[in-house]
Amino acid sequence: MIRIENVSLRHGKTQILHDISLTIAKGGITALVGPNGAGKSSLLSLIARLQPLQAGRITVDGFHVDATPNRDLARILAILRQDSIFTSRLRVRELVSFGRFPHGRGRLTPADYAIIDQSLQQFDLTDLADRFIETLSGGQRQRALVAMAFAQETDYLLLDEPLNNLDMYFARELMRSLRRIADENGKTIVIVLHDINQAGAHADRIVALKSGRIVADGAPCDLLTPKTLQAIFGFEMRVETVDDTPVVLHFR
Amino acid sequence: MSERRLLFLAGAALLCIVAFMTIGLRGNIGFVLALRATKLAALLQVSVSIAISTVIFQTVTNNRILTPSIMGLDALYLFGQMLLVFLLGGLGYAALDAQLKFGGEIVVLMALATGLLSPMLRRRAEMGLMLLAGIIFGILFRSLHSLLARLVDPNDFAVVQGASFANFNDVRTDLLAFASILTIAGIVIAWRARHVLDVIALGADTATGLGISWSRTVTGLLLLVSALVAVSTALVGPVAFFGLLVVALAERVVDTRSHAALMPAAVLTAVIILVGGQTLFQHALGSSSTLGVVIEFVGGLAFLVLLVFGSRK
Ligand SMILES: Nc1ncnc2c1ncn2[C@@H]1O[C@H](COP(=O)(O)OP(=O)(O)OP(=O)(O)O)[C@@H](O)[C@H]1O
Ligand SMILES: [Mg+2]
């Protein structure tokens, strides 16, 4: 369980998150949606202790994120950031191997190699495994990053816009893989999505953020209504239901 | 593949060492060999400390152009040394045990370097800013050094004056024993940290996500870098571009930034250049004292090339 209590964040004079409280139960996919600058990435990086907590408390599985040794946290929580930077001369397989670092501090066992191979295979990276990251296309690179987060094999997975740069096929594959590990392995996934229909089709719960506040929270079929969507994004859109899944027509 | 290239480097380094020890042996062979062995030990330590400190520093600062000496760390060491002379007076300083002095200087350098650099490394500062800060640090400490030099008694000044430029021919062999403890400790720590260094290279956020305590680890690595810089500066004096040259060459030879391969490669490259160069200059060119100048010249060229054409990103 991820428990966020009264978390606020400010950078200088601007208040970025206003007194956020949110509890995410163990197991399942929670989608974070909201306009640009709403504070989604900020909230995620606070949960993943990438920046210090200024006010409030966050616990993951009962561990306070700002008081638990980093090593221990890295075995229960993995994060994929929106803007990951790369060093040079790094091969895809090496990058994915880093996902195993929290478990063996760099020493890889046969079991680790098996997990790495499986992650590579899952994201169709086997043929690219020996390529340098800087020579990949944007989507291939994104897949490599997701594969690394997968290889970390943590119970909690925080993904900030993992569908960036992915084509329709791989976007669907990624969402299906997430669905599978949530259902079969009981993983807890928090994912920032801009594609509201992906959220509608695959998430168990959608939490909407706007200007640093939670403005809507609920199951996709309850939340994806023209009225709520207008409140979140500020414009009108049609919603149809296809095969019991709400589909938002926001293109025109 | 990088293993084969490492073996090749190791072979070449061994060849240089053998040549250094055996070419032109004359007279009292036992005496000459002992003399050469001492000097070799010093050159090896300098190679190790410069190569490792540069690799680690580049990884922590995430670029291929900065080195500890470009950031003014060796100037800082000389300043710390002069500060001790200033505070203790030349006689007091000269009377101190050489090992004790060296120990004190190292502690001063580690404290100053960590105090100055950690704030910048907390969040990785931008390269341009770091470079600028380094140049300013360098100038600042060199000027403070000469200011103190003018303030202290001329006799006191003579105590430290010997060591303000690199000289591979005239090494401080009296510090060898103490320095070798540091160098060996440095090798052990760096080797054990090789995987951590690979992760550090991914940047603060990714490394944190993988379980590294960024500030603590980076501070520890900086302390290690400072100790190694102190070793090489104490033994042969400041060298500006040697580390840059060595790491740039090693990286091209093994074609990876993986520290398990890059650190040994950089050390071996340094040994080849330093020991091989010393042999060459001593016997073929007849003027061993110019090696430092030549290395700095070539290293400076490498610096310019990397700066202008960009390192391979
Ligand atoms: N380091 C910072 N300094 C100042 N302001 C910041 C900083 N980081 C983020 N912000 C501001 O905080 C707000 C929230 O940013 P955040 O990255 O969390 O948004 P987001 O919801 O992830 O947006 P997007 O959908 O564009 O990724 C934005 O207004 C941003 O400008
Ligand atoms: Mg964001």
Side-chain angles (χ1 to χ4, degrees), chain B residues 45 99 102 175-184 231 235:
Chain B
Q45 284 192 40
Q99 322 277 333
F102 186 35
L175 299 176
L176 262 187
F178 188 24
S180 60
I181 298 175
L182 283 175
T183 314
I184 290 170
V231 167
L235 288 177

Side-chain angles (χ1 to χ4, degrees), chain A residues 63-191:
Chain A
F63 296 101
H64 288 271
V65 291
D66 51 349
T68 307
N70 240 343
R71 270 178 174 197
D72 301 343
L73 221 46
R75 285 194 286 255
I76 56 175
L77 179 92
I79 179 159
L80 169 74
R81 295 216 326 138
Q82 189 175 357
D83 46 349
S84 299
I85 338 155
F86 284 107
T87 43
S88 57
R89 306 275 98 185
L90 193 64
R91 292 172 203 278
V92 173
R93 184 186 297 279
E94 292 174 292
L95 181 79
V96 176
S97 315
F98 284 126
R100 300 310 299 160
F101 181 81
H103 304 275
R105 305 296 285 181
R107 252 176 282 281
L108 296 176
T109 63
D112 289 322
Y113 284 113
I115 294 169
I116 293 163
D117 282 337
Q118 192 198 331
S119 282
L120 286 169
Q121 209 168 2
Q122 188 159 6
F123 294 97
D124 216 5
L125 292 165
T126 312
D127 292 338
L128 303 174
D130 292 316
R131 287 265 296 274
F132 286 118
I133 302 280
E134 65 258 36
T135 67
L136 298 182
S137 77
Q140 293 167 336
R141 200 175 296 185
Q142 183 72 6
R143 270 150 55 199
L145 281 170
V146 178
M148 168 178 152
F150 260 60
Q152 210 170 327
E153 289 212 318
T154 52
D155 284 344
Y156 294 85
L157 200 51
L158 310 177
L159 304 168
D160 199 347
E161 301 189 25
L163 304 186
N164 269 355
N165 292 322
L166 294 191
D167 64 24
M168 284 176 286
Y169 173 78
F170 281 114
R172 187 183 70 151
E173 281 299 298
L174 174 57
M175 292 310 292
R176 283 179 168 186
S177 309
L178 292 177
R179 193 66 258 172
R180 196 166 53 239
I181 60 170
D183 292 339
E184 291 171 11
N185 311 343
K187 307 261 180 193
T188 312
I189 296 158
V190 181
I191 179 171

